[in-house]
Structures are given as structure tokens and as C-alpha cells.
Amino acid sequence: MAAMFATDVTGTVSPPVASASVLSRSLHARLGGTPLRGEVLGVHRRAASVRLGGQLVAVADASLGAMPHAVSVPAFDPQALGVREGQAVATSDGSILIGGRVVVRLGDAVAWTATLSPRPPAAGLRPRVRLVLEAAQGLGGGGLRPLLSDGPRPWPHGSPPADTAPERGAASVRTTDLALGMAVAAAGRLGAALAASDVDGATRAGMSLIGLGPGLTPSGDDLLVGLTAALTAMGDPGARRLAGAWATEAVTRTTEVAAAFHRCAATGEYSERLHLLLDAILVGPPEEIAGAVAVAADWGATSGIDTLAGVVLALRRSLP
Amino acid sequence: MTTLAVRAAVYHNSYRDSVELMGIAAELERQPGVVRAGLVMGTPANRTVLAAAGLAEAVPDGVGPNDLIVAVAAEAAEAAEAAVGRAGTLLTSTRAGDTGGTAEAEQPHTISEAIAALADANLVVVSTPGTYATAEALRALKRGLNVFLFSDNVSVEDEIELKTLATRRQLLVMGPDCGTAIVGGVPLGFANAVRRGSIGLVGASGTGLQEVSSLIHRLGGGVSHALGTGGRDLDQRVGGATMRSAVRLLLADEATRVLVIISKPPSPTVAAAVLDLVRGSAKPVVVNFLGADPGPVRDVGAHPAATFEEAAAIATALARGEALAGPADGSVLGSDLEAAAAVAARGLSTGGTAVRGLFSGGSLASEARLLLRRALGPGRHDVVLDLGDDEYTVGRPHPMIDPRLRVDKIASAAADPDVGVVLLDVVLGYASSLDPAAALAPAIREAREVARHAGRGLAVVASVCGTDDDPQGFARTSQALADAGALLAPSNARAALLAARIAALADRTRAASGSSAAGAEGGTR
């Protein structure tokens, strides 16, 4: 019965074929090696989360920008293509086949280096950080927006507030606010530990942010990834250690999607939008910082703001 | 202080994006009577938040980070339940919106969706490119479903993995590269419309199963199940895993009173393992290991059958409790066919006598090749081609679906002065060409005409595998072929024997008259 499915006898149709445009070098190596199998975990408007060989990979519309764990595909609309949760996914011969319906070819993809290299801060980092904070003032609310305020630092004396949120009038508080209150408090402890160059303390404070907050990538996780990205870009040798410790915990303490970002951070890999933001902040023309901040904040529901909060937390170390 | 009613629901492995989740969370908080609501992923940190908000009490144990928790505290239980229900509706409706169209929504795209629509399903047909077929088959097995794996290009390692899992779970993997099965009267892949009855078949060959099941039907018998194993199942590496499971199933199946096992010769150890299962079986067992020694079959108390026709004849007689009426293995052609052979042989007084078999069924080709060699011996130009082999099907449909390749080959045979007999199988049934005679009959007519113009004779011998209940109709197809000048035999085995007899008689006549037989060099390939 060889070659029968090449015909239309069983109603099998040729699956739509898409070509990936960008792929991180490390993901390219993984997907191009031993054939992997898995399934579709979630289908979103511009991306599908799939588990391949036990690890989460995003197949995402190229407009979302390159991500270390993502295959970027131009004009990728998974819902229109019939991608559904639970479909089988497999790699073979330089392609990903989703649910027997969609083939994503990897051969033409541009190999992208997701590893964030240190960008020696241009002279006068402080004025640049102030420009970031100024730009953040103009951003809308949501998520960890309070951490971006340019007022007095929320932990002026190195003693952040306790997790007081639960004591607030229970009937009047939203659960989201409770979670964000806890996250702000934990971020305070994290910032204080960083200011004191207390890596162990920072590690512990960060642990309580893992899996904390609303969303498929909880706000606390977004913050931690933004933080280690900024520390990495500034050449902080502790960045990789923090990211590694948090990635290990993330496996059991947060969503699989968030854990994928942590996993990449532990190997020094970050999304293109973080590369661009940190380039702009650290080495680009200062007049472009405000625009870069606004673009970075506009990501997902609150992920952009939350990630930016982590970046700002790292940048604040340079301020007196 | 009023006691609040708290209700929660958990959606396991939910990967809704944050925008969607927050929209639903905001709507929940607007529901009448709701005091607090949480819609968060079930991470330990978020469960701490829910506990702090007094919402954890209704959240069940065992919630993980990838599970979505909807928790609501309201002034009354009804309000809490209504809000949780509203969240469920919103989550469902956004998912339904994902499908992007009504027609699309009706068609299940995954095994999960199909099971949701057909909860008592117990078998999945997998027909995806081979590279991806293993994953789908594994998914089905893990859900406790049997698998009919039509796909080819599945590696032997994957086949072993699938069959090991299936055996452990007492499930059946028919395939890979399984073309034919009839399960509980439902035809899968290439199968014929046959009467239901008490004969159970297990076969490592698709057209072998089709031939035996069709012959049983035409002999008045019926089939309980016909289970395919895939052609590689009886390979040493796979060890006959599916055949052994299928034999066990049919031995235990109440509807099956007679068992037929067919295959090309398996590896000796696999054959021994399969035969061991039927040793001393209370149910009669018929075994056709094509071309193999019948001794080991007799040794376990089973009935050896040399051809598909004989397997069908013995099984039908056993199912009726009748005595076996002697061999039906193609060694007895029957008086009608003997007479036809004599007439046809006289037409081959000039030109070659080589037999050119042009087959669409691989197992039918194997059987014909074997019988021709036995009947005609070595030293001839007889050739049997399996046009369904990879060599011929790259980039084109299988000849059981598209007769064009066969039409071309018939024309080539007619133009070949060596060829005296063209031997054909015509396989009817589901998934096959809806009117194979429409293309083959004119081709046969033209071939005979071409040979006649060249001053040669050309005999065309055919057998039709199928029943009158098949969409193409056995009688109608046979009549169309006969009208075109083909000699019809009642089985593939007897068609092969008829072709051999025509060639042998023509050779004998020429030997007597002193002319040389062009077919008498080389051997059957």
C-alpha cells in the first residue's frame, strides 16, 4: 500500500506549508536534530504553544518578534490554519508538522542569536535611566505599573514593605490587586537585595515572584526575566546565576509557558524585543529611548509592563 | 459578618493567553452578587493569593501550575455558582470562536475532538504522512483506543514501540502500511462489502484479505472480522506482535467460529510463535503461509491452505460443518477453464507464449508468481509485475485507484512479441476505482487487436476480487471484462493457473509441430 496517502483516496489533503523566517540558533539545533514528538498545548491569535521533546516551543507570527523558544512564521494564523489544542506535533526532515494539517518548514529561516551579550553602558548611564523612568510615566496602567513610578523609590531605606495586601479590606480588593500587591512587595525585597549586592537575598526574593500574578505568564515571571536581561546587558556577572536558580524553581512553580522564558534566560537567551529595548537604553541614541520603552511596554496584556518593571528594577541600581 | 459562598472550577492544562484571561476576570468581577473573584493559573504563588483572598477553600487538591482556576466569593451560593458558570461559558465561547467557521467546527481535527463527538469509539484510523503517524498512533493507544494505521513510511523502531505499548494495553495496532480490515462489519481502507458471518481473518497482506473475504462471501459464507497486521508484522524484529494479538482476540471472540491466518512466509520463529497459539485450538484454524511448507501447520492441528482460494473454501466448509471437498489450490482448474485454455492456446500458434502479469494487488501478484513458477517451471520469460509497488507509485495514485498505469502496461505487453498471455487482477471494493472495467475493457480490446494485426494471438486472463455488494459490482465488472475478450477465472489462483495452462498448452502444441516457443527462455520474475 506504499505511497497511497499521496493520493486523495482517504480524503487526505496536502497540508498547508509555511516557511519559518527566523529561528534562534539553539532552537534550530534542537529542532533539526533527532525527530521530536509532542502536542499542541494552546492556540492563540498569533501563536501556538506546542510541547516538543518535552519542552515548550512557540510557533509564532513573525510580527511578535523573534523569541528564543519560538519559530517565527510570517502571517501565521494558527486558528485559521486549523491548529487545535491536543493535535500531535512532530519534527522531521527540517519541518514541523502540526496535527497532520500544517507543515512549517525550517530550512529557509534566518538563524538568530538569542544570546544577549553585554552592552557596555555608554558613558552617562544615569541620564539614560532617568529617560527610561520618564518615558515610563507616560505609560498606561496595569500589571506591575506601580514599580515604574518615578517618585521616591518604594523602598527608600532598603526595607521594603511587608506583604500587607491580605490585611486590606477584603471585600473591596480584587484578587489581581492582591497578587500584584504581593509582587510589588517581593520586588521591593529583590531591589533591596540587589542594591546591597546580596545575591542570595535576591535569589530568595525572586523565588516568591515565580508564578505570582495574573496571566499565562504571571507578572512575577515577566519581571524576573526583564530583570536578568537588563543585568546581563549591563554585564552583571550575577545575572546568569540568578536566572539559573529561578529557572530551576520555575519548572514546578509556574506555568509551562513562563518556565520556557526562564529556561532561555538561564542560558542567556532573551526575546528580540528585550534585545532592542536594552540596546536602545544602554547604547543607542538617547532620543530613541522613550520610543523603545513605549514599544516594549506594548506586549500582551501586562507582560510588556511587567517585563519593563524588571528592567527598571535592574537599572535603578545605577542610581544613587 | 456575612459568610460568603465560595465556588471554584478548574480547567486543567489551560493555555489561554493573558488578554483573554483578564477579560474574563474583569467580567466575573462585574457579575451581580460577586464580592471577590479570581481567575489565575494554579501556581503555588497564586494559590497563596487565593488563600489570602479567602477563595482557596473551594479549590480542589491536585491543581498544578498549568491549570486555570476560577474562584468566586459571593453573597449567595447561587450568585457564586452563576459566576463560575458564566466564566465557563466565556471560556467555552472564546474557544468555539477559535474554530473560525461553522463547517470547520463540525469536523473534528484531533483525536480528542473526535472522541468528544463519539464517546464510545474504540478504534482510530490514522492516515497521515508516516513521519507523523507514530505520534498520532501513540496518542490513540494511550487513550485506550485500537489503531488502524494506514500510513506507510513508519520506521520499524516506531512500529515496535507502538506494538509493545499496544500489547501491554491489550490493544491492537493494525499496520503500519495496513491497507485492509473489516472490524465488526465496518470496512477500513481497501475492503470489500462482504456478508457478516462466523469466519475471522487475520492477514499480513491487504489484497490477500480482500481475496479471501470476497471468496468466502461468494461461496455463501460470512466474515466476523478481518484484521490486517501490516506487511512487516511477521518480520523477525516485530515478531508478529499484531498477528499474535489478533489471533488471541479472534480465538476468544464469540462471533468467530473459524479462524483464517494468511501471510507471506513469516520468519520461522515468528511462524512457530503464531502456530503455537492455535495448537489444539477448539476452533478450526486455516493457515495460508504463501509458498511455505504445510507440515508445521498440520503439526499444530490446523488446516494448511496453499492458495487464498483454498483458504476461503476450507474455511467456508468448516464454518458450515461440511466435509472438505478436496484441494482447491489451483491444481484443479475445472473443466470449463480447461476447455477455455485449450481454445486460447490454439490462438497462440504464432508469437510468444510468455505470461505477463500486470497486478494491482501485491499479495495477489505474489500468489500468481508462485503458482506460475510451479506450473511452468524455470526457463521462461514470464514476468509478474506488482504495479502497486513503490517503484511504480511514486508521484502517482495506486493502480487500484487509477488504472492508467495498467492501461499503458497492457499496451506495452501487446506490442511485445514475446508475450502470449496477459494476466490481470481487478480489485473491487471501497476506496478502489469506482469503475475499473471502464478503463481496462477498452485496453484489453485494443491489446488483442494490436496483437492480431501483428499476426499474433494474445490471451488476456483476469480475475475479479470483490462481491456484488461492492460499489463496482462483481458481476457487472466481470461481464464488462469478458465482453472485451478477457477470460475470467473465479479466483486469482485459478487465473494464474489458467494463464499457465494456456502457455503450457501453446508450448506443447508448438513442440509437437516443431516451432520454437519464444516464452521458453529465462524464468518467471
Side-chain angles (χ1 to χ4, degrees), chain B residues 214-286:
Chain B
S214 294
L215 285 165
I216 287 170
H217 175 97
R218 300 211 305 266
L219 289 167
V223 170
S224 56
H225 308 281
L227 306 176
T229 66
R232 208 168 43 195
D233 187 65
L234 295 172
D235 184 289
Q236 185 75 43
R237 293 167 294 177
V238 185
T242 297
M243 181 160 279
R244 288 188 285 151
S245 298
V247 166
R248 282 194 197 96
L249 280 172
L250 292 178
L251 286 175
D253 176 43
E254 285 182 9
T256 302
R257 295 209 311 271
V258 176
L259 183 57
V260 180
I261 299 172
I262 59 176
S263 170
K264 282 178 266 191
S267 90
T269 50
V270 175
V274 171
L275 290 175
D276 217 38
L277 287 175
V278 303
R279 185 187 299 277
S281 155
K283 293 182 183 180
V285 179
V286 183

Side-chain angles (χ1 to χ4, degrees), chain A residues 3 13 19 59 93 119 162 209 241 266 309:
Chain A
V13 291
S19 277
V59 182
D93 300 330
R119 280 110 166 107
L209 282 159
R241 187 177 145 196

Side-chain angles (χ1 to χ4, degrees), chain B residues 84-174:
Chain B
V84 170
R86 175 68 184 151
T89 305
L90 290 169
L91 286 163
T92 311
S93 66
T94 53
R95 202 64 352 181
D98 284 352
T99 58
T102 50
E104 184 83 347
E106 287 162 10
Q107 186 82 352
H109 289 115
T110 64
I111 291 173
S112 305
E113 286 175 25
I115 289 170
L118 194 65
D120 56 351
N122 68 355
L123 186 144
V124 172
V125 176
V126 176
S127 176
T128 65
T131 316
Y132 312 105
T134 306
E136 293 294 347
L138 276 174
R139 185 181 306 277
L141 291 171
K142 286 175 180 170
R143 284 176 166 270
L145 299 160
N146 299 289
V147 174
F148 178 82
L149 187 47
F150 192 82
S151 312
D152 60 2
N153 293 318
V154 172
S155 72
V156 72
E157 291 77 17
D158 283 359
E159 179 172 353
I160 292 166
E161 180 187 352
L162 289 172
K163 292 187 171 180
T164 303
L165 177 63
T167 305
R168 207 164 60 232
R169 300 207 169 189
Q170 296 189 301
L171 296 168
L172 206 57
V173 174
M174 292 180 268

